[in-house]
């Protein structure tokens, strides 16, 4: 199996992951690309038990492929998880808990809802790279009915920093970060988390961005004497429009603020891979990231409303 081995079509997926063993093997390969390594003694050879545990041939330690991943402690077969991940990544615009419940044939809505949130969490790559080159930055409000004023928080709204790579003819990657307000104190850390120093950043004339050069960025301000309605930051505006459309379409626009960060991560995950030749590549990335992150405890997800 090479580094980027994934099913390219649904038929391939069905054929390949038709047994629990096949799912276990695939997961093990992604988790231990160099082969098994005993967490206790470092030995590299193991038996696979009937329950899918790896038993070290040297010290008998039993390692589970799922421990330390988001699948830890699951009582459902991996096959079901694989189906969930395939379904989520093969739908272009994201899925609802109801839709996933039907596809998987699960009875409890809450189980599906928790799975979705676990998987969304896995969409955030722990070590993701910063944007670079030419980057357009703007902010937008999500939620609430009235327009919010810049520079102050607005009740019922969340302010999001939107950063988009400008690749000339097309979009590059994006990053979205929730910020408390549009002051320089909030904007600068969010920019530094999203964009590599040395990059050229284009913003409007908002005072919150004047510190950019002192943080190691080149800064250009889109025309200061703009007319109302001028589209000075077209890339950022386009991403904001797509984000809002997606939130309405997939989540009916009802986004509990405690879950907004995950939705932003899901949107980013999908947007940055929108041109992948095969949806299977998203599936592969999702599994890869699912084994990298700490298990998510259900009670930490339940903070907000169901839905
Ligand atoms: Zn061992």
């Amino acid at each position: 199996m090479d580094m980027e081995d994934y099913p390219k079509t649904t038929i391939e997926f069905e054929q390949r992951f038709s047994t629990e063993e096949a799912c276990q093997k695939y997961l093990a390969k992604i988790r231990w690309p160099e082969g098994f390594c005993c967490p206790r003694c470092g030995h590299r050879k193991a038996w696979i038990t009937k329950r899918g545990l790896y038993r070290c041939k040297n010290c008998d330690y039993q390692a589970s492929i799922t421990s330390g991943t988001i699948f830890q402690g699951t009582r459902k077969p991996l096959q079901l998880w694989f189906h969930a991940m395939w379904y989520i990544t093969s739908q272009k615009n994201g899925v609802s808990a109801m839709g996933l419940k039907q596809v998987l044939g699960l009875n409890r809505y809450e189980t599906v809802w928790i799975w979705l949130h676990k998987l969304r969490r896995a969409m955030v790559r722990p070590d993701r790279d910063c944007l670079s080159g030419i980057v357009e930055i703007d902010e937008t409000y999500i939620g609430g009915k009235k327009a919010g004023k810049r520079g102050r928080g607005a009740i019922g709204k969340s302010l999001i920093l939107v950063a988009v790579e400008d690749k000339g003819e097309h979009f590059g990657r994006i990053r979205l970060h929730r910020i408390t307000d549009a002051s320089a104190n909030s904007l600068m850390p969010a920019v530094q988390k999203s964009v590599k120093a040395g990059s050229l950043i284009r913003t409007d004339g908002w005072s919150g961005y004047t510190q950019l050069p002192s943080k190691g960025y080149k800064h250009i301000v889109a025309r200061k004497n703009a007319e109302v309605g001028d589209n000075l930051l077209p890339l950022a505006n386009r991403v904001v429009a797509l984000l809002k459309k997606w939130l309405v379409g997939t989540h009916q626009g009802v986004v509990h603020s405690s879950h907004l960060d995950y939705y932003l991560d899901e949107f980013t995950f999908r947007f940055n891979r929108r041109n992948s030749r095969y949806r299977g590549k998203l599936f592969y990335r999702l599994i890869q990231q699912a084994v990298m992150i700490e298990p998510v405890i259900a009670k930490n997800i339940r903070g907000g409303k169901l839905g």
Side-chain angles (χ1 to χ4, degrees), residues 36 38-43 45 55-61:
F36 172 81
C38 174
R40 187 157 78 190
C41 74
H43 193 69
K45 291 212 163 71
R55 202 176 91 213
C56 174
K57 281 189 181 177
N58 180 47
C59 76
D60 276 341
Y61 181 85

Side-chain angles (χ1 to χ4, degrees), residues 53-82:
L53 296 171
Y54 280 66
R55 202 176 91 213
C56 174
K57 281 189 181 177
N58 180 47
C59 76
D60 276 341
Y61 181 85
Q62 295 197 343
S64 149
I65 329 162
T66 54
S67 70
T69 74
I70 65 160
F71 314 111
Q72 179 173 315
T74 185
R75 283 185 290 265
K76 301 279 189 228
L78 279 176
Q79 262 188 290
L80 212 53
W81 278 97
F82 274 49

